[in-house]
Amino acid sequence: MVKTVSFVNKAVEISGHLHLPDNFREDEKYPALVGIHPAGGVKEQTIGLYARRLAAHGFVVVVYDSSYQGASGGEPRLLEDPATRVEDARCAADFLTTLPYVDTERMGVFGVCAGGGYALAVAQTERRFKAVAGVSATPMGEAARSMFGQAISAGELIQTLEATAMPRTAQARGGEVVYAPFVPERQEDINENTPTMLREGYDYYRTPRGQHPNSKGRFLLTSLDKMFAFSTFNLIPTLLTQPMLLIVGSNADTKIFSEQAYALSNGPKELFVIDGATHIALYDVPEYVDQVVPKLASFFSNL
């Protein structure tokens, strides 16, 4: 069963889906999860797939479109603001605590891709989340400042920030808003040098495989300063003490981020590697999703 729900992050109305277990009864108490979608994604895509499958394992799961994106409110549209994304997850936890059938002592958070990175980030300071999991987890700040874990020089980062400042000035003067793609927008933009994640990202987001009209696959260019300033990793060693599960494909471009997060954690942790899987394959390929879901369900059953 899926219910359309909404909650607020400050003045922004957040559009969500509440996935309920089979044979759901309002007079029972259930463990609950917050699910966070990838950058450029929406609740109807991979995060919704995982929510539906986890609900079948007995969890109440809320997924939602982040502020400024999808069916949620907020201006400017398609802003990717990591701090707001973290606050969205807190507000989702607030929402769960208002439901009489949610056991508020058994709440967890998980996410896919950037959503996995945001799950790790919010769990550091949101103690209502008793466990955290990331699938193909990608920390937005660390990813923006590197090329799949390979550092980008400070000079190049500064050049990017300077380039980002120009459209912001133009926009303040009434000029056109500038966007950048998360994945290639056209087949002809892909060549032999295109990383696997981006090539498969095109296939997921730009073709019937996974596309959704609310998922634009791009972001406001002026989001970059916020991404560059954000860090998921800095406080993992000291504040992320809840059990942590990282699920990653052995062939994922982003595998390095899960390895780094695992190395930084001093708390209970597991790095679960799925042989043969790429980053995007964990979004929806049945043979891999069928491995991820039982692992997540088993992990969160200990809430």
Side-chain angles (χ1 to χ4, degrees), residues 14 30 77 93 98 103 124-125 136 151 164 190 193 195 248 263:
I14 304 298
Y30 297 89
R77 300 307 296 167
T98 69
D103 184 344
Q124 294 169 34
T125 53
S136 294
T164 302
I190 299 172
N193 297 318
V248 65

Side-chain angles (χ1 to χ4, degrees), residues 61-226:
V61 189
V62 65
V63 295
Y64 54 89
D65 295 339
S66 64
S67 295
Y68 315 114
Q69 300 173 32
S72 291
E75 296 289 341
R77 300 307 296 167
L78 302 185
L79 177 67
E80 182 70 24
D81 180 0
T84 299
R85 289 271 250 144
V86 168
E87 186 63 20
D88 285 342
R90 292 185 194 280
C91 295
D94 291 342
F95 167 73
L96 287 176
T97 65
T98 69
L99 304 178
Y101 44 82
V102 164
D103 184 344
T104 57
E105 295 302 311
R106 300 179 67 201
M107 296 200 306
V109 62
F110 75 101
V112 178
C113 188
Y118 291 132
L120 296 179
V122 71
Q124 294 169 34
T125 53
E126 180 51 78
R127 307 308 295 189
R128 291 177 297 181
F129 292 133
K130 307 304 183 184
V132 56
V135 178
S136 294
T138 305
M140 187 54 74
E142 284 77 7
R145 296 188 298 270
S146 70
M147 178 57 70
F148 298 113
Q150 301 302 310
I152 297 173
S153 72
E156 290 178 277
L157 294 177
I158 290 168
Q159 278 187 322
T160 300
L161 288 169
E162 288 174 343
T164 302
M166 290 187 287
R168 181 158 185 154
T169 296
Q171 191 177 329
R173 294 172 175 171
E176 202 169 301
V177 176
V178 179
Y179 299 96
F182 278 119
V183 298
E185 298 191 318
R186 304 173 302 165
Q187 180 71 52
E188 50 265 42
D189 295 331
I190 299 172
N191 57 47
E192 65 276 6
N193 297 318
T194 303
T196 300
M197 177 185 173
L198 298 182
R199 184 181 298 107
E200 294 184 350
Y202 168 84
D203 187 57
Y204 183 82
Y205 286 106
R206 308 294 190 192
T207 76
R209 172 183 169 186
Q211 68 184 166
H212 188 278
N214 288 344
S215 172
K216 306 304 181 184
R218 52 196 173 108
F219 64 96
L220 194 66
L221 187 63
T222 51
S223 305
L224 279 172
D225 55 0
K226 299 163 188 62

Side-chain angles (χ1 to χ4, degrees), residues 1-2 35 57 64-65 106 233:
M1 185 192 314
V2 182
H57 281 268
Y64 54 89
D65 295 339
R106 300 179 67 201
F233 285 170

